[in-house]
Amino acid sequence: STGQAGHAKIVADQFAEYFRKCTVMENGKVKAFCYQVGDGGEDHAYWGSPEAQPGPRQALFATSSNPCTDIVGLSAASLAANYVNFGNTEDLTYAKALYEFAKTNNKAVGSEGIGDFYISKSWEDDIAFAAAWLYKATGDSQYKSDVDEYRNIVKAASGNPYWDETMNSWSYCWNGVWPGVNALM
């Protein structure tokens, strides 16, 4: 109603394109995902635009041996959300592939190169968020079952038989997306 839908689509599509370009695919499967370019310490010490920052920039990748389940899960969720909102089937293809990569590899929070800058506390909420968005995008009940599985993993780990995902995150933020999962489910 504000006339900003076209502009919102342009902005969201730029993020989606970035996530797709960060994804290294081989035969329709994710081989790697570039989750970070740069170094937090160096980047915060430099006062200037990123384009003018001197020196080489490191690129860090999620792989089967460094799965970064949290980051890959949130990226898959973002692409699935963009598909739901704007219908780009390429976004859905990449979202499914990234989710499958996160689901089938060992689970771990991405930490290499991140240091103390925005390190996640868990991966379960992030991959559950991806599954919830994919469930909304596709209607495939396997994604709904996966959300329940990730909830049960955290419940069992908590040792509290009355745990629910609202106990793990009191507000929606980058480090606690259970409220987003709840809203979608």
Side-chain angles (χ1 to χ4, degrees), residues 26-178:
E26 190 174 272
N27 299 321
K29 295 191 181 290
V30 173
K31 183 175 179 179
F33 179 77
C34 182
Y35 67 89
Q36 179 176 315
V37 177
D39 175 272
E42 290 178 22
D43 295 347
H44 281 77
Y46 175 74
W47 288 90
S49 68
E51 297 82 15
Q53 189 170 354
R57 313 274 299 167
Q58 71 176 345
L60 300 171
F61 289 84
T63 61
S64 59
S65 61
N66 181 34
C68 303
T69 311
D70 54 332
I71 300 167
V72 174
L74 286 178
S75 301
S78 176
L79 288 165
N82 203 50
Y83 169 76
V84 168
N85 289 320
F86 302 112
N88 182 341
T89 56
E90 191 176 19
D91 291 340
L92 183 60
T93 299
Y94 276 77
K96 287 178 176 180
L98 284 167
Y99 177 77
E100 194 60 31
F101 173 86
K103 182 179 175 179
T104 58
N105 282 301
N106 290 329
K107 309 294 182 282
V109 169
S111 61
E112 181 186 341
I114 294 173
D116 293 332
F117 299 100
Y118 301 103
I119 193 161
S120 188
K121 292 179 184 169
S122 67
W123 55 265
E124 294 88 351
D125 59 326
D126 305 308
I127 196 168
F129 198 39
W133 271 111
L134 284 164
Y135 176 61
K136 183 169 179 70
T138 66
D140 183 338
S141 63
Q142 181 58 54
Y143 294 118
K144 184 179 184 308
S145 297
D146 289 352
V147 170
D148 293 336
E149 177 185 336
Y150 300 125
R151 284 176 170 161
N152 288 334
I153 289 170
V154 176
K155 182 177 183 175
S158 75
N160 180 350
Y162 303 105
W163 180 92
D164 71 24
E165 56 280 355
T166 61
M167 296 170 76
N168 197 32
S169 179
W170 60 271
S171 66
Y172 178 84
C173 73
W174 68 270
N175 194 27
V177 295
W178 284 119

